[in-house]
Amino acid sequence: MFDGWAPTLTALIEAGDSTPTPRRIEAMPTGPRWVNRPGITLIGDAAHLMPPVGEGANQAMLDAAELAGVLAANPADPDSAIRAYEEAMFTRIHPIAEMSARVQAMMLSPTAADDIVRFFTARPSEPAAAS
Ligand SMILES: Cc1cc2nc3c(=O)[nH]c(=O)nc-3n(C[C@H](O)[C@H](O)[C@H](O)COP(=O)(O)OP(=O)(O)OC[C@H]3O[C@@H](n4cnc5c(N)ncnc54)[C@H](O)[C@@H]3O)c2cc1C
């Protein structure tokens, strides 16, 4: 499978203690939302599992901080605090999930190597995100 890859990369695989175990990359459809239910909510991957392009753990921590913030600010009405958290989280996550899906599609395309170079070298006035 890795025939023709740079030896510096295949050396990383060969240095493993066992043969590689392929894992599927799972993701929810972009723009997750659900009908609010009193007394319960979701944060992190349970709320918005995305392709791994550097956002999941960061958004999970932000979810936790923002949920804690609204609960602390409105201790008398936790259900309304949860609704506020969910609406803000849905709005925040939607474009990030779309971007993550685009970047994953770019990384798995036949032109991935060239696309990645362009992605990291494009000037700000030349958006390089995959279509
Ligand atoms: C290959 C890869 C690379 C990534 N790179 C990045 C990155 O560079 N930057 C970034 O921000 N994010 C990255 N992520 C995403 C990040 O890892 C996740 O978004 C983050 O870990 C989600 O945190 P979480 O706490 O929501 O879920 P998890 O980290 O999945 O934690 C859930 C925990 O619940 C436990 N659990 C499950 N079921 C039960 C049960 N019934 N009872 C008790 N415990 C249970 C699980 O064992 C697990 O420990 C990457 C992900 C992958 C797969």
Side-chain angles (χ1 to χ4, degrees):
M1 184 184 286
F2 297 99
D3 201 27
W5 284 51
T8 46
L9 296 178
T10 51
L12 293 173
I13 299 169
E14 287 157 8
D17 292 333
S18 58
T19 53
T21 304
R23 308 268 186 209
R24 292 175 60 85
I25 295 179
E26 307 281 2
M28 292 179 187
T30 52
R33 34 181 329 119
W34 58 82
V35 177
N36 169 263
R37 293 175 61 177
I40 189 167
T41 190
L42 297 170
I43 63 172
D45 279 7
H48 43 67
L49 183 64
M50 295 178 267
V53 301
E55 287 286 352
N58 289 286
Q59 297 304 319
M61 290 188 288
L62 192 51
D63 290 347
E66 293 197 342
L67 178 58
V70 290
L71 287 169
N74 195 359
D77 188 359
D79 289 334
S80 114
I82 287 174
R83 280 196 300 277
Y85 153 75
E86 288 177 347
E87 282 310 314
M89 183 270 289
F90 293 145
T91 302
R92 164 167 52 84
I93 289 298
H94 196 162
I96 294 170
E98 287 187 334
M99 179 276 293
S100 298
R102 277 200 309 278
V103 172
Q104 173 174 258
M106 178 179 74
M107 289 193 296
L108 299 180
S109 85
T111 58
D114 291 338
D115 293 344
I116 294 279
V117 170
R118 216 172 46 247
F119 182 80
F120 282 108
T121 54
R123 291 193 297 267
S125 58
E126 299 170 357
S131 54

